[in-house]
């Protein structure tokens, strides 16, 4: 079949062990498709949309994604080593048993993303909307969350040791139920955390 387009998406198709290494995926749309053991290594997506798709054991190593959407997609045992997402929408996407390091995300919307228990050590999120994302128990040590909207995010037992959190919304963070040793915050964020501990700062 011809390549799917935004107007004529591929729907409910299965792709098994396909080799998409280094492919340029532009302006395509996949709906409720299944990708199993597909090699997306060094592939580039731009202005493409994946809606409610399932990715199992897919390699995204060194792939680059710009202005694309993976809304409601489920990623299981996928490898994102050295992957980059710029201006992408991953609202409601879930990640299970995935290798996410190192990962770089700039801009875009990851609200409601499911990253509970994920190993996010040293990953970098810059200017990303992550409202109500699930980071319960995620290991974010040495990560960067710069200017990230984490409002209403699930942050119970999150590990943020030595993470750079400057500019991010930390209103949902309970410092009693998180690991924050060595984390970097701004004075304004420190005031929010102090308030959440029930303390009052007076000159």
């Amino acid at each position: 079949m011809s390549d799917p387009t935004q107007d004529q998406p591929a729907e409910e198709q299965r792709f098994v062990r396909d080799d998409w290494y280094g492919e340029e995926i532009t302006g395509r749309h996949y709906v409720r498709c299944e990708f199993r053991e597909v090699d997306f290594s060094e592939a580039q997506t731009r202005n493409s949309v994946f809606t409610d798709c399932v990715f199992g054991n897919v390699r995204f190593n060194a792939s680059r994604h710009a202005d694309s959407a993976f809304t409601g997609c489920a990623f299981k045992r996928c490898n994102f080593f050295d992957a980059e997402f710029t201006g992408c929408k991953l609202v409601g996407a879930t990640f299970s048993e995935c290798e996410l390091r190192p990962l770089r995300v700039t801009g875009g919307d990851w609200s409601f993303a499911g990253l509970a228990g994920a190993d996010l050590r040293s990953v970098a999120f810059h200017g990303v909307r992550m409202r109500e994302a699930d980071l319960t128990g995620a290991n974010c040590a040495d990560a960067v969350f710069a200017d990230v909207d984490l409002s209403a995010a699930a942050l119970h037992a999150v590990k943020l040791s030595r993470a750079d959190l400057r500019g991010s919304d930390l209103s949902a963070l309970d410092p009693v139920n998180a690991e924050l040793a060595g984390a970097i915050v701004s004075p304004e964020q420190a005031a929010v955390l102090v308030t959440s501990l029930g303390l009052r700062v007076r000159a």
Side-chain angles (χ1 to χ4, degrees):
M1 62 169 291
S2 59
D3 285 345
T5 65
Q6 299 285 18
D7 295 328
Q8 295 181 321
E11 296 188 40
E12 299 181 352
Q13 294 188 24
R14 296 184 80 243
F15 302 88
V16 181
R17 299 187 182 88
D18 286 19
D19 184 3
W20 292 14
Y21 180 94
E23 186 164 344
E24 293 189 10
I25 302 166
T26 302
R28 302 187 198 174
H29 191 182
Y30 299 87
V31 179
R32 296 184 300 279
C33 290
E34 187 176 348
F35 299 83
R36 300 287 180 184
E37 299 182 42
V38 176
D39 188 0
F40 276 93
S41 298
E42 298 191 30
Q44 299 184 41
T45 70
R46 182 176 294 277
N47 297 319
S48 291
V49 178
F50 298 80
T51 305
D52 297 328
C53 294
V54 175
F55 297 84
N57 293 293
V58 172
R59 295 183 294 282
F60 289 96
N61 307 53
S63 59
R64 302 291 180 264
H65 309 274
D67 303 317
S68 293
F70 296 83
T71 53
C73 291
F75 300 92
K76 185 167 185 179
R77 289 194 287 273
C78 295
N79 195 323
F80 290 88
F81 178 82
D82 199 32
E84 290 186 3
F85 290 85
T86 304
C88 292
K89 184 176 181 180
L90 282 89
V91 173
T94 59
F95 298 82
S96 175
E97 302 177 65
C98 292
E99 173 58 61
L100 296 165
R101 306 173 54 225
L103 174 69
R104 293 176 295 281
V105 181
T106 304
D109 192 346
W110 287 52
S111 296
F112 303 98
L115 291 158
D119 185 354
L120 296 171
R121 289 174 294 164
S122 300
V123 302
F125 290 89
H126 291 268
V128 185
R129 183 182 174 93
M130 298 184 75
R131 297 193 65 179
E132 298 191 51
D134 188 357
L135 290 161
T136 303
N139 188 349
C140 305
D142 299 298
V144 174
F145 288 87
D147 301 311
V148 174
D149 182 359
L150 288 166
S151 57
L155 300 172
H156 182 78
V158 66
K159 300 177 178 65
L160 292 165
S161 302
R162 300 175 303 283
D164 188 343
L165 307 173
R166 288 175 291 181
S168 295
D169 185 332
L170 302 180
S171 58
L173 180 62
D174 179 359
V176 174
N177 292 306
E179 293 184 17
L180 294 168
I184 303 171
V185 297
S186 68
E188 293 78 12
Q189 290 170 311
V192 171
L193 295 174
V194 166
T195 301
S196 68
L197 287 169
L199 302 177
R200 292 183 294 175
V201 179
R202 291 181 178 174

